[in-house]
Amino acid sequence: MVQRATILASDPSASRTGQLLTEAFARIRTENEVREVFPDAVLAEVDEQLRRPDLPERDETAVELVTIDPPGSMDLDQAMHIERDGEGFRVRYAIADVPAFLLEGGALDAETRLRGQTIYCPDTRVPLHPPRLSEEAASLLPDRVRPAYVWDIRLTATGKRDTADLYRAMVRSRRRYDYQEVQDAVDAGTAEETLMLLREVGELRIRREVERGGASLPMPEQEVGRDDEGGEYRLSLRPQLAAEDWNAQVSLLAGMVAGQIMLDGGLGILRTMPEPDDGAVHRFRREVRALGSEWPAGMPYGEFLRTLDRSDPSHLAVVSAATALFRGAGYTAFDGELPAPQDRLQAAIAAPYAHVTAPLRRLVDRFGLAVCEALTARREVPSWAREALAGLPEVMAGTDRRARAVDRACIAAVEAAVLADRVGEDLEAVVVEAVSGGRVAVQLREPPVSDVAEGEAEPGSVVLVRVERVDVGAAEVDLRVVGPVEES
């Protein structure tokens, strides 16, 4: 699922608008039946399982792994180490071992199937697992010995997969980085070898992605805060750092390896997505033009997205509009008979792919890891994992719908908050397309809000839009086209 993170950069309790925003987020979670409290039986079972975990015998604590996550993260799913391997590379990618602490068929297992994934809101996150597991016992925190699934992947000098293995082992991360720290250290040339090689491997994998016809969508992070005087709310879009893209390429690599392992073994669950239809592509082309960018004829959309300047607000708006091309994602489970070729691919990645790198935050990864580890070792797949596969697509479809609904509603509330003090103002916008009922979809230039306005105008035209009404608590904004922008 394509999702943009939204964070609050100031204390929402400092103003009435901020209080309304916080209340709106709480209401959104309630309306979407987000399970915010873990039952006592689940917490008691977790405490019991933490006293007797199923730990692997293999010891890889000497491997100097590091983690790279957003600042303040405690649920650390992944740790990596990269080294040169002849002319190529060796990537070891440790993934949190949730089954080591979880009683299959128990209370927590049942609870995670109801939750499906961690739900992210601007003011908080609602975890898939209790924090004592996801932020402590199973998290790959620095200087803590932890069980993990370890992907051991060797790449050629061009970044192509050579060999791959997956096994359980005890590991220890040496350091926790955030993305900005990685970017700064690499740019300054002072980064440790793993981080310098991460850039090299990441760029090689990006090149291979373009060659496959794949597409990555670098969604901006929305940040809403108050101005320097503590007055009205402001909305800004923070572009992804290159370090985030390099890191994502390692995760994609593991997922592609996993997908092929499942297909070779005749058993698994793939993350799939169809190619965007012609209508979605044509609409996106209109939106690109409306937002002042140029998409050359004949250039694949994945390659075009890579040409965008992530520091340019108008280009970030194009990235946001491109989410329409990344729809229809789902899960395909199989046991024995392989899915049809067209049902095996994740179109944006342009390859078979499986979710296997975020088990602390996403339910399906726990099962995918267990399947791949058994297939790689040529052992029988655990019955608890095999028996769950057929039902996982429905479970994950439900949790994805919930997460999308929460995300959309929270974004609407944020956009209402930043317009709360602009009622009566005329703001410049570009018309993206006409919609039903005498309305048009518009993209405000500043603040970068996307919404629907009453009135008619030609797609691609620049208009003035008046903010007629804002209700932060209800996450509602009424806009009206009042006329064209006069050329200077």
Side-chain angles (χ1 to χ4, degrees):
M1 178 183 63
V2 175
Q3 191 172 29
R4 52 180 168 182
T6 307
I7 62 171
L8 292 178
S10 61
D11 179 6
S13 66
S15 72
R16 179 55 183 158
T17 298
Q19 293 167 7
L20 289 172
L21 197 55
T22 300
E23 292 168 6
F25 297 148
R27 172 184 55 78
I28 289 164
R29 290 191 288 272
T30 298
E31 290 177 349
N32 287 279
E33 300 181 343
V34 176
R35 299 172 66 86
E36 297 194 66
V37 178
F38 285 96
D40 290 342
V42 169
L43 298 177
E45 181 183 278
V46 169
D47 287 342
E48 177 62 26
Q49 290 301 116
L50 294 183
R51 287 192 284 270
R52 48 187 180 90
D54 175 24
L55 301 179
E57 295 181 0
R58 186 163 178 166
D59 185 344
E60 295 229 338
T61 54
V63 179
E64 296 190 352
L65 299 163
V66 299
T67 60
I68 308 173
D69 291 275
S73 296
M74 293 296 290
D75 52 346
L76 309 185
D77 282 293
Q78 311 113 9
M80 74 173 70
H81 179 262
I82 306 177
E83 60 185 316
R84 295 203 180 275
D85 182 41
E87 294 183 353
F89 309 89
R90 183 182 186 185
V91 178
R92 274 175 283 191
Y93 199 39
I95 308 298
D97 186 347
V98 173
F101 301 98
L102 190 143
L103 177 64
E104 299 297 340
L108 177 58
D109 182 26
E111 181 69 16
T112 59
R113 295 180 195 229
L114 293 174
R115 293 176 177 243
Q117 63 184 287
T118 296
I119 300 292
Y120 294 92
C121 297
D123 61 332
T124 190
R125 59 184 183 76
V126 183
L128 173 62
H129 302 94
R132 63 189 72 176
L133 188 154
S134 60
E135 297 183 8
E136 297 177 24
S139 180
L140 302 182
L141 297 165
D143 297 320
R144 312 282 179 86
V145 176
R146 296 287 188 259
Y149 288 90
V150 181
W151 289 101
D152 191 346
I153 304 172
R154 296 176 190 267
L155 303 174
T156 68
T158 61
K160 181 180 179 181
R161 168 192 169 182
D162 187 7
T163 64
D165 195 8
L166 176 65
Y167 49 82
R168 295 181 68 223
M170 300 302 293
V171 302
R172 181 174 60 193
S173 171
R174 293 301 196 275
R175 178 168 174 177
R176 171 171 45 190
Y177 289 96
D178 64 42
Y179 294 114
Q180 191 64 60
E181 288 174 331
V182 172
Q183 191 70 58
D184 291 345
V186 170
D187 289 346
T190 58
E192 60 180 278
E193 182 183 45
T194 285
L195 302 185
M196 297 303 293
L197 292 179
L198 173 63
R199 176 175 62 179
E200 197 168 336
V201 168
E203 290 177 348
L204 286 170
R205 295 300 302 175
I206 289 169
R207 195 174 308 157
R208 296 196 64 81
E209 178 179 273
V210 172
E211 291 170 353
R212 290 194 312 271
S216 291
L217 186 61
M219 284 301 295
E221 179 178 76
Q222 283 189 324
E223 182 174 280
V224 58
R226 303 175 75 197
D227 60 26
D228 293 339
E229 288 73 39
E232 64 184 61
Y233 272 76
R234 298 292 187 187
L235 179 66
S236 61
L237 299 180
R238 183 193 68 81
Q240 278 194 3
L241 297 168
E244 294 174 81
D245 206 352
W246 307 331
N247 191 61
Q249 287 296 324
V250 175
S251 180
L252 290 172
L253 170 64
M256 291 169 63
V257 169
Q260 195 58 55
I261 288 172
M262 291 175 180
L263 288 171
D264 291 343
L267 174 70
I269 179 165
L270 300 174
R271 180 61 163 169
T272 56
M273 191 177 77
E275 291 279 1
D277 61 33
D278 289 343
V281 173
H282 290 324
R283 175 184 173 180
F284 178 57
R285 191 174 288 280
R286 289 197 304 271
E287 291 174 328
V288 169
R289 187 166 53 249
L291 293 169
S293 295
E294 183 64 32
W295 179 5
M299 178 182 285
Y301 73 93
E303 186 174 348
F304 166 66
L305 290 173
R306 290 242 170 241
T307 69
L308 299 176
D309 179 358
R310 302 179 192 184
S311 64
D312 184 332
S314 64
H315 283 197
L316 288 177
V318 173
V319 171
S320 181
T323 57
L325 304 179
F326 292 74
R327 292 177 179 166
Y331 292 88
T332 299
F334 56 98
D335 188 347
E337 183 177 353
L338 296 181
Q342 67 271 19
D343 297 328
R344 301 178 191 179
L345 293 182
Q346 212 283 10
I349 297 172
Y353 174 76
H355 275 154
V356 290
T357 61
L360 294 177
R361 292 169 281 166
R362 193 169 48 213
L363 174 68
V364 69
D365 299 51
R366 165 162 48 110
F367 300 91
L369 284 162
V371 167
C372 287
E373 191 271 335
L375 291 175
T376 302
R378 294 181 171 80
R379 287 187 288 98
E380 189 71 22
V381 172
S383 59
W384 59 263
R386 189 167 203 153
E387 292 167 2
L389 292 180
L392 282 174
E394 182 177 355
V395 171
M396 295 307 299
T399 190
D400 280 349
R401 283 193 296 271
R402 180 181 297 112
R404 284 195 298 269
V406 169
D407 185 53
R408 284 195 300 267
C410 286
I411 289 172
V414 167
E415 293 182 337
V418 302
L419 292 173
D421 294 324
R422 312 293 289 272
V423 174
E425 289 189 31
D426 294 344
L427 305 176
E428 190 172 304
V430 291
V431 178
V432 176
E433 67 170 346
V435 296
S436 60
R439 299 178 299 163
V440 290
V442 296
Q443 173 72 51
L444 302 188
R445 292 200 185 278
E446 181 56 39
V449 169
S450 301
D451 212 319
V452 173
E454 296 291 333
E456 297 182 355
E458 289 296 319
S461 62
V462 182
V463 297
L464 288 177
V465 171
R466 183 164 298 162
V467 182
E468 299 277 17
R469 183 185 71 93
V470 173
D471 186 333
V472 177
E476 294 176 352
V477 174
D478 290 345
L479 304 176
R480 181 168 60 88
V481 176
V482 296
V485 172
E486 297 296 336
E487 294 185 9
S488 57

